[in-house]
Amino acid sequence: MTQEKEVYYDYLSSKNIKHSKQRENILDVFLNAEEHLTIQELFEIVKKENKNVGVATVYRAMKIFCDAGLADEINLGDGNKRYEHKYNHKIHSHLICVKCGKLIEFCDERMEDIQSDVCSKFNFEPRDRRLQIYGVCEFCKDK
Amino acid sequence: MTQEKEVYYDYLSSKNIKHSKQRENILDVFLNAEEHLTIQELFEIVKKENKNVGVATVYRAMKIFCDAGLADEINLGDGNKRYEHKYNHKIHSHLICVKCGKLIEFCDERMEDIQSDVCSKFNFEPRDRRLQIYGVCEFCKDK
DNA sequence: CTATGTGCAAATGATTTGCAACGCG
DNA sequence: CGCGTTGCAAATCATTTGCACATAG
């Protein structure tokens, strides 16, 4: 069993939440997705395997996965919430192309220094962080 | 006349957009606001001075101000879009308290280095940047 | 058996749009 | 006068919620 599933089952028992086929389907689709999908996109994929699933269930499930620490909401500025994997992933940052919407992830260890400096300055206890750089990617630049 | 207004009038003429009393009211409220207001908040304030204004006009106006480079949308994660001043402001970052919603702005020059390094690595042309650090502020920590 | 989960449809809330009237230039 | 702008209400879109039924433990 994957570590993510372990985290999920632990979370379920710690919160007295029952298992369900639908939520399990949704989790599998989410965990196997390479990209950052919207609720609608997750819903379309899940529906292919299990025709009787409502969007509401996808909303409810993603909320649980976020609480469990497996997923994280991100907002790329196109007006749609998307979800990314959180468990066991380093905090990373995003380059977002404003022309084609392409997303590049990166990680720079200097961010940690900046965060700890500014947080101690303001006596702030950090929990999470997001960095997005908007611009034009190499392919769109040439056009 | 403030620099912001100059930018605004220049933008209007460059795009063949007419002046209007309502939009001018909205711009004044936006420019005088210390905090990052939502559309609804801007709307409430404008309505006090000019009873006959519709929300739609506020939406349309803020879109123009963003295009003109005077305003910027920000999303603090509470589900509400807010607007901040953009013209002549250094790119800054936000500490956001997840308990009380308080917003602290800061600016760290090391961000520029990180941005230029990662952008040259991916051949990416940066235009704008956002950094949000979520956590608990000094006042909420003690509770 | 009992509490929780589900699908559906209706409710909500934010934002957009169509339209006839209005007003800037 | 002519075209962009406005307020209003209706339309749209994402998300949430109430409820009767299904199901896990």
Side-chain angles (χ1 to χ4, degrees):
Chain A
M1 179 163 56
T2 66
Q3 285 189 308
E4 282 90 349
K5 289 253 176 157
E6 265 183 65
V7 172
Y8 173 59
Y9 293 131
D10 287 351
Y11 182 79
L12 292 193
S13 33
S14 79
K15 294 278 180 180
N16 270 5
I17 300 176
K18 291 178 182 168
H19 290 207
S20 95
K21 181 100 181 332
Q22 289 90 328
R23 212 191 285 123
E24 197 88 13
N25 287 160
I26 297 167
L27 180 59
D28 288 337
V29 168
F30 168 66
L31 291 177
N32 289 322
E34 290 293 331
E35 297 146 56
H36 301 80
L37 302 179
T38 62
I39 293 279
Q40 289 303 324
E41 289 164 342
L42 289 161
F43 174 57
E44 304 296 341
I45 299 172
V46 175
K47 227 180 10 185
K48 281 184 198 158
E49 314 226 326
N50 188 341
K51 222 166 50 156
N52 271 8
V53 175
V55 237
T57 303
V58 182
Y59 278 101
R60 293 186 270 231
M62 293 314 295
K63 197 156 292 175
I64 291 176
F65 303 157
C66 287
D67 290 345
L70 292 171
D72 230 348
E73 279 182 17
I74 56 175
N75 197 312
L76 302 187
D78 63 350
N80 286 100
K81 276 185 191 167
R82 292 170 182 278
Y83 292 85
E84 68 179 357
H85 301 158
K86 177 160 189 179
Y87 181 73
N88 239 347
H89 284 251
K90 267 191 282 194
I91 295 183
H92 57 254
S93 306
H94 294 140
L95 294 177
I96 300 159
C97 179
V98 297
K99 299 278 188 192
C100 70
K102 190 168 136 83
L103 187 89
I104 302 169
E105 300 188 337
F106 71 94
C107 200
D108 189 303
E109 67 289 337
R110 286 171 290 181
M111 289 302 299
E112 292 296 334
D113 301 333
I114 295 178
Q115 175 170 300
S116 62
D117 287 355
V118 64
C119 287
S120 59
K121 177 173 168 192
F122 290 105
N123 193 19
F124 191 89
E125 181 188 303
R127 297 230 179 130
D128 195 8
R129 171 199 339 132
R130 301 291 163 79
L131 171 60
Q132 305 101 303
I133 297 176
Y134 295 93
V136 184
C137 76
E138 56 179 333
F139 304 109
C140 294
K141 242 195 318 197
D142 302 333
K143 289 170 193 166
Chain B
M1 178 164 55
T2 65
Q3 286 188 308
E4 282 90 349
K5 290 254 177 158
E6 264 182 66
V7 171
Y8 173 59
Y9 292 132
D10 287 351
Y11 183 80
L12 292 193
S13 34
S14 78
K15 294 276 181 180
N16 269 7
I17 300 176
K18 288 179 184 170
H19 289 206
S20 94
K21 182 98 180 335
Q22 289 92 324
R23 212 192 285 124
E24 197 88 13
N25 287 160
I26 297 167
L27 180 59
D28 288 338
V29 169
F30 168 66
L31 291 177
N32 289 323
E34 290 292 331
E35 298 146 55
H36 302 80
L37 303 179
T38 62
I39 293 278
Q40 290 303 324
E41 289 165 342
L42 288 161
F43 173 59
E44 304 296 340
I45 300 172
V46 174
K47 226 179 11 184
K48 280 184 199 157
E49 314 226 325
N50 188 341
K51 221 164 52 152
N52 272 7
V53 176
V55 237
T57 303
V58 182
Y59 278 101
R60 292 186 272 231
M62 293 314 295
K63 196 154 292 175
I64 291 175
F65 303 157
C66 287
D67 290 344
L70 292 172
D72 230 346
E73 281 182 15
I74 56 175
N75 197 313
L76 301 187
D78 63 349
N80 286 101
K81 275 184 192 168
R82 292 171 182 278
Y83 292 85
E84 67 179 358
H85 301 158
K86 176 161 190 178
Y87 182 72
N88 239 347
H89 284 250
K90 267 192 282 194
I91 295 182
H92 57 254
S93 307
H94 294 142
L95 293 177
I96 301 159
C97 179
V98 298
K99 299 278 188 193
C100 70
K102 190 167 136 83
L103 187 89
I104 301 168
E105 300 188 337
F106 71 93
C107 201
D108 190 302
E109 66 290 335
R110 285 171 291 181
M111 290 301 300
E112 292 296 335
D113 301 334
I114 295 177
Q115 175 169 301
S116 63
D117 287 356
V118 63
C119 287
S120 60
K121 177 173 168 191
F122 289 105
N123 192 18
F124 191 89
E125 181 188 303
R127 296 227 179 133
D128 195 6
R129 174 203 332 136
R130 301 290 164 80
L131 170 61
Q132 306 102 300
I133 297 176
Y134 295 92
V136 185
C137 76
E138 56 179 333
F139 304 109
C140 294
K141 244 198 311 199
D142 301 333
K143 289 170 193 165

